Amino acid sequence: MTQNNNIAPKDTLSKNIEAHPFGKINSKQILLFTLKNSNGISAKITNYGGIITSLKVPNKNGITENIVLGFDNLDEYIKYPGYFGAIVGRFCNRIAKGKFTLNAKEYQLSINENGNHIHGGVNGFNKAIWDTKPIEGEDFVGLELSYLSKNMEEGYPGNLTVKVIYKLTNANELKVEYFATTDKTTIVNLTQHSYFNLTGNSNSSVLNHNLKINADYFLPINEHLIPKGNLKPVKNTPFDFSKLTKIEENINEENIQLQLASGYDHTFVLNKTTNNIAAIVFDEESGRKMEVYTTKPGVQLYLGNFLNKATKQEIGSIFENQHAFCLETQFFPNSPNEPTFPSSVLSPEQEYYQATIFKFSIKNN
């Protein structure tokens, strides 16, 4: 899998795949690929961080709009490193104090958020330059990205060979498949960190979106946003999204968990189902419906509570708080330190494989 560094200003690789230069980092060419399906959906993905810069989906009137937050140029992704649309790893979410023990040896990861380790560290996968390979099948177009995370990168043991495959299907699905192998026992927890706004207007709040999460339990957090280690029923709490509920319905309740995170920034423990459904989101204004399916045990609902701070400019901000939501499918935060949580350990004898699907459709009110 080798990256083509000689892409012309516009290189049509096939009828439904194009590639464009997107800038350079340390003389390395950054590319932007456009994938198109047969129903008017398109995704733009760059090999810098595996970032989805744009995901255009038609609304109920047939108008195609971008439903993810992103930037038009590479410089802004570098300037505002808020994981916008990126592949996150080697371990997404938080690890308390950046410490964990494997095979009786303690490891210290880089610290990059309030004394803790988050989203892979100072230079996580969101800042990696990935090798790329466009792929195409009968019912999909896609992009295969690969990266070697070297032993002790950000403090993680083992040389980790990672592959992520994006597939845009004619069934209006964006499928993300994660593969990894290691030469030394390590921990792995990969996710996709797109910020969604189904209205297609990033200046609009997502509080009126309708949300359903297939979970009877969520993980309470402490003041550092680290799970306490127990599961709490969602019933009779603001975290009950067991049926389609407007996000704004309970967000202002007097609840210590909401106060600690300035809103929703919590992991939901997914119920096991035969079709691996994790969540459904529906926006009445646009008619867009997004279903999320995953093989992973949890999903982090993050409501962009700090988007204002993350994109602060001299005058105002590019994005405002709660103008987008994330549904980050993953293993549980701090799982290396919680023996009752699903294990994120990967040994040399194993292959890491997980998959998440974002499926789009139109729903009448």
Side-chain angles (χ1 to χ4, degrees):
M1 280 169 273
T2 57
Q3 175 183 316
N4 183 351
N5 292 317
N6 299 303
I7 298 291
K10 178 178 179 181
D11 193 347
T12 302
L13 305 179
S14 75
K15 178 183 177 182
N16 296 309
I17 304 177
E18 294 180 354
H20 305 256
F22 198 54
K24 290 187 177 181
I25 296 178
N26 298 327
S27 75
K28 291 185 177 180
Q29 180 74 67
I30 306 302
L31 305 175
L32 185 65
F33 294 85
T34 302
L35 310 178
K36 301 175 184 178
N37 79 353
S38 60
N39 302 313
I41 294 179
S42 66
K44 291 187 176 182
I45 304 165
T46 174
N47 63 317
Y48 175 68
I51 293 170
I52 297 174
T53 68
S54 169
L55 181 58
K56 292 186 176 180
V57 178
N59 67 8
K60 62 185 178 183
N61 299 316
I63 299 171
T64 301
E65 296 164 307
N66 182 21
I67 62 166
V68 297
L69 302 193
F71 306 108
D72 294 329
N73 59 78
L74 180 63
D75 290 343
E76 288 189 309
Y77 281 103
I78 296 170
K79 183 178 180 181
Y80 304 108
Y83 309 99
F84 290 97
I87 296 168
V88 177
R90 184 179 300 196
F91 193 99
C92 66
N93 219 311
R94 298 170 175 89
I95 296 178
K97 300 179 181 178
K99 293 182 179 181
F100 66 95
T101 300
L102 272 180
N103 298 332
K105 181 177 179 180
E106 184 177 86
Y107 291 91
Q108 177 64 62
L109 304 175
S110 58
I111 299 300
N112 61 325
E113 189 206 51
N114 300 325
N116 299 305
H117 177 89
I118 186 171
H119 288 338
V122 177
N123 291 298
F125 291 1
N126 60 300
K127 295 181 180 178
I129 300 174
W130 296 67
D131 288 336
T132 54
K133 177 184 175 183
I135 56 175
E136 197 162 359
E138 284 187 11
D139 62 346
F140 75 89
V141 289
L143 186 66
E144 181 178 297
L145 301 104
S146 57
Y147 176 67
L148 173 62
S149 176
K150 294 183 179 179
N151 181 48
M152 300 312 295
E153 181 177 285
E154 297 297 306
Y156 291 97
N159 291 294
L160 189 76
T161 301
V162 186
K163 182 170 68 176
V164 177
I165 298 178
Y166 288 111
K167 290 181 180 178
L168 179 61
T169 75
N170 290 331
N172 297 338
E173 299 172 336
L174 180 62
K175 185 173 185 178
V176 191
E177 294 181 287
Y178 307 89
F179 305 80
T181 56
T182 182
D183 62 2
K184 187 177 181 179
T185 301
T186 189
I187 57 172
V188 186
N189 188 16
L190 308 179
T191 197
Q192 214 294 323
H193 203 292
S194 283
Y195 287 82
F196 293 95
N197 185 323
L198 298 188
T199 68
N201 178 7
S202 63
N203 293 319
S204 173
S205 168
V206 295
L207 292 179
N208 62 348
H209 282 39
N210 298 276
L211 172 65
K212 179 179 180 179
I213 300 178
N214 179 33
D216 294 331
Y217 296 90
F218 76 102
L219 302 183
I221 55 174
N222 63 21
E223 67 273 18
H224 302 294
L225 307 187
I226 302 289
K228 295 179 177 181
N230 63 309
L231 279 58
K232 184 173 182 178
V234 301
K235 192 173 182 180
N236 298 321
T237 77
F239 295 85
D240 189 355
F241 290 99
S242 56
K243 61 181 180 180
L244 275 176
T245 304
K246 284 197 180 295
I247 295 173
E248 65 186 356
E249 185 167 314
N250 301 308
I251 198 171
N252 293 316
E253 276 194 23
E254 288 288 330
N255 181 280
I256 184 61
Q257 286 297 308
L258 292 175
Q259 293 167 2
L260 287 169
S262 299
Y264 293 109
D265 191 4
H266 296 75
T267 298
F268 288 75
V269 180
L270 295 173
N271 300 327
K272 293 183 179 180
T273 58
T274 53
N275 65 351
N276 290 326
I277 184 72
I280 298 172
V281 191
F282 170 57
D283 171 50
E284 296 171 6
E285 179 184 343
S286 67
R288 293 187 181 96
K289 175 183 175 183
M290 183 175 81
E291 299 164 82
V292 183
Y293 301 84
T294 189
T295 58
K296 299 177 185 180
V299 62
Q300 182 90 358
L301 171 63
Y302 176 52
L303 212 60
N305 304 323
F306 303 102
L307 279 171
N308 185 299
K309 181 179 178 181
T311 59
K312 194 73 176 174
Q313 296 179 308
E314 291 183 10
I315 302 176
S317 297
I318 298 176
F319 300 126
E320 297 299 324
N321 295 346
Q322 300 176 341
H323 279 202
F325 66 90
C326 300
L327 288 169
E328 306 158 51
T329 58
Q330 58 189 253
F331 285 94
F332 301 167
N334 204 36
S335 63
N337 299 310
E338 295 290 351
T340 62
F341 285 1
S343 175
S344 57
V345 175
L346 181 70
S347 69
E349 297 79 29
Q350 299 172 305
E351 180 183 35
Y352 177 97
Y353 174 79
Q354 299 290 335
T356 294
I357 295 173
F358 303 94
K359 182 177 177 64
F360 302 97
S361 60
I362 297 298
K363 179 178 181 293
N364 294 321
N365 296 357

